[in-house]
Amino acid sequence: MDIYLVGGAVRDQLLGRPVVDRDWVVVGATPEAMLAAGYKAVGKDFPVFLHGETKEEYALARTERKTGRGYHGFAFHADPSVTVEQDLERRDLTINAIAQHEDGTLVDPFGGVGDIETRTLRHVSDAFAEDPVRLLRVARFAARYAPLGFTVAEDTMALMRRMVDDGEIDHLVPERVWAETRKALAEPAPSVFVRMLRESGALHVLFPEVDALYGVPQRPEYHPEVDTGIHIEMVLDAAAALAPGDALVGFCALTHDLGKALTPADVLPRHIMHEQRGIEPVREISARLKVPAEYAFMAEMVCKHHLNAHMALELKPTTILRLLEALGALRRPERLETFLLACMADKRGRGGNTDAPYPQADFLRACRQAASDVTSQPFVEKGLQGPAIGEAMKKAQASAIASVLKP
């Protein structure tokens, strides 16, 4: 029995990055031998075991064979004769196809170490094209490692385009698309994820609402970048800088301007009412990808109300109160934070605005605090009952908001 550390742990170790998860491959073993050694079986499709103490995953070396379309169209074969090189061959990228033996020796049959040195994301073999999830994974890895200088190899990009042309990605299930997208939105450069999907042609298939934004002009005095698609990329990266690792803010950034693709051509480059026009495509993308309810809700709120946030210092107290109520922010202050981070990213995600101040954020936080400090007790003591208490509280909350000093 030979045991190898594989995949992301080896890759990140070589990159000098923290190792979060450690996965192992076992060569020359049977399921019976693993159970006898104290491992616990957990794999359904192929033999995977948990270590009795560390709880880390140990998988028997295996090969795979394409049997049908999509992510599930594979048959796996695992027995003691499968080598570590054969196991590595089924992996997606060369940087993920490096193994380290227990004695520290590296097994690198596909040049992954060299690709780490040249900062290249390259597919292991043409079998890459058999699994459409890998296209999303490459785009996600590109979003993670772009700050380190990584780029996608041209032959890999060509293969990704072929996967789109051949219709392989049409067989991706929504859950897998969302799982990879959610991870990508939490990466340091989520704009690269969108850009890689667009360059491969996959954005048009998987996110047509986002793809439609490219080429849509905006007023240059407000958006020096002009192109709405470029603006979305900039907002995504601004969101990642403001809220590192927060995919919820990232999803709001991705979808906040979908309505601009629906602006009538005769009014361009103005986008009057784009917030309202964007609500339906936000709902469509959320439903199609089966995103969590909180993601769908907050994306719609940011789409509908981001201009109100930008104009917060000019709004009436009653309008601010309605905004807070729509967000549910009086009971859930974290929703206001998500909303403000997305709106701040929108402000900074445009040419020359990278470090633009956003005093609206602290003002709206203060308004929320002032409104939430109003309680029903004084009105109950006055003898008010039922709806009368609620009406009195709304007036008191609006008055409290009016007393907040504007910056």
Side-chain angles (χ1 to χ4, degrees):
M1 183 187 297
D2 281 316
I3 299 177
Y4 297 85
L5 183 66
V6 295
V10 181
R11 176 198 67 225
D12 288 341
Q13 203 170 262
L14 293 172
L15 282 169
R17 292 167 58 92
V19 174
V20 179
D21 296 312
R22 288 153 58 94
D23 294 313
W24 305 84
V25 159
V26 183
V27 175
T30 63
E32 293 75 20
M34 296 295 288
L35 294 172
Y39 292 86
K40 180 182 178 181
V42 293
K44 294 180 180 179
D45 299 322
F46 41 79
V48 179
F49 302 84
L50 293 183
H51 190 281
E53 296 178 3
T54 66
K55 306 305 179 185
E56 292 175 340
E57 287 192 359
Y58 287 69
L60 297 189
R62 65 186 187 269
T63 59
E64 61 186 33
R65 178 172 54 85
K66 184 73 169 173
T67 58
R69 286 281 201 171
Y71 172 71
H72 294 290
F74 291 91
F76 298 92
H77 171 69
D79 69 35
S81 68
V82 178
T83 66
V84 66
E85 290 83 2
Q86 288 175 309
D87 183 273
L88 294 174
E89 188 175 8
R90 66 180 177 78
R91 297 175 184 268
D92 50 8
L93 297 172
T94 60
I95 66 170
N96 296 330
I98 309 168
Q100 184 178 45
H101 192 265
E102 289 177 301
D103 64 10
T105 305
L106 291 180
V107 179
D108 180 27
F110 305 104
V113 173
D115 282 340
I116 285 177
E117 292 172 352
T118 61
R119 299 300 196 249
T120 304
L121 298 175
R122 190 190 315 277
H123 63 286
V124 170
S125 72
D126 283 348
F128 175 98
E130 296 176 349
D131 184 355
V133 174
R134 289 176 171 175
L135 188 152
L136 289 166
R137 280 173 55 83
V138 170
R140 175 165 64 83
F141 279 121
R144 177 184 301 177
Y145 295 121
L148 298 181
F150 274 83
T151 58
V152 178
E154 184 48 47
D155 56 343
T156 300
M157 184 57 69
L159 185 57
M160 291 163 63
R161 294 189 190 104
R162 193 158 74 242
M163 292 169 69
V164 175
D165 293 341
D166 291 345
E168 184 65 33
I169 67 165
D170 297 341
H171 299 274
L172 280 170
V173 297
E175 291 82 0
R176 291 309 302 253
V177 175
W178 172 244
E180 292 297 325
T181 299
R182 187 175 189 168
K183 292 175 184 177
L185 292 172
E187 300 291 4
S191 66
V192 178
F193 175 76
V194 173
R195 197 152 56 245
M196 291 298 100
L197 293 185
R198 184 163 184 259
E199 288 184 20
S200 68
L203 192 67
H204 177 69
V205 178
L206 301 175
F207 300 92
E209 300 90 348
V210 178
D211 189 62
L213 295 173
Y214 286 89
V216 176
Q218 303 166 109
R219 293 174 66 178
E221 63 267 37
Y222 300 117
H223 289 276
E225 71 283 358
V226 180
D227 191 302
T228 307
I230 301 302
H231 170 58
I232 293 299
E233 292 182 10
M234 297 173 73
V235 175
L236 281 169
D237 287 348
L242 287 165
D246 193 327
L248 176 55
V249 175
F251 186 62
C252 294
L254 177 69
T255 58
H256 80 284
D257 263 353
L258 294 184
K260 287 184 177 179
L262 302 176
T263 299
D266 61 341
V267 301
L268 291 174
R270 294 179 303 155
H271 290 280
I272 301 168
M273 301 290 287
H274 75 275
E275 323 91 89
Q276 283 72 29
R277 289 192 180 97
I279 293 173
E280 189 56 35
V282 169
R283 289 175 178 173
E284 289 175 358
I285 199 171
S286 296
R288 187 175 67 251
L289 297 184
K290 301 180 181 180
V291 308
E294 188 67 7
Y295 280 70
F297 174 78
M298 287 306 305
E300 184 173 330
M301 288 296 100
V302 172
C303 174
K304 186 176 182 179
H305 295 294
H306 64 276
L307 291 190
N308 278 336
H310 298 339
M311 299 186 297
L313 303 180
E314 305 162 30
L315 298 180
K316 296 178 180 179
T318 51
T319 305
I320 292 175
L321 179 59
R322 285 197 298 271
L323 171 61
L324 295 173
E325 289 176 332
L327 289 168
L330 297 181
R331 293 179 295 102
R332 298 183 58 177
E334 73 278 5
R335 280 184 168 175
L336 179 62
E337 286 305 307
T338 295
F339 176 77
L340 292 175
L341 286 166
C343 294
M344 196 181 307
D346 177 40
K347 177 69 172 180
R348 293 184 176 181
R350 53 189 82 189
N353 276 25
T354 308
D355 299 311
Y358 200 71
Q360 297 92 324
D362 281 340
F363 174 66
L364 286 173
R365 290 185 185 108
C367 289
R368 192 213 72 84
Q369 186 60 57
S372 65
D373 286 342
V374 175
T375 67
S376 61
Q377 188 62 34
F379 308 109
V380 173
E381 292 174 352
K382 287 182 179 180
L384 297 181
Q385 295 181 349
I389 295 176
E391 290 301 317
M393 285 188 66
K394 283 184 183 296
K395 290 180 181 178
Q397 288 169 331
S399 177
I401 290 171
S403 69
V404 174
L405 294 178
K406 296 181 180 179

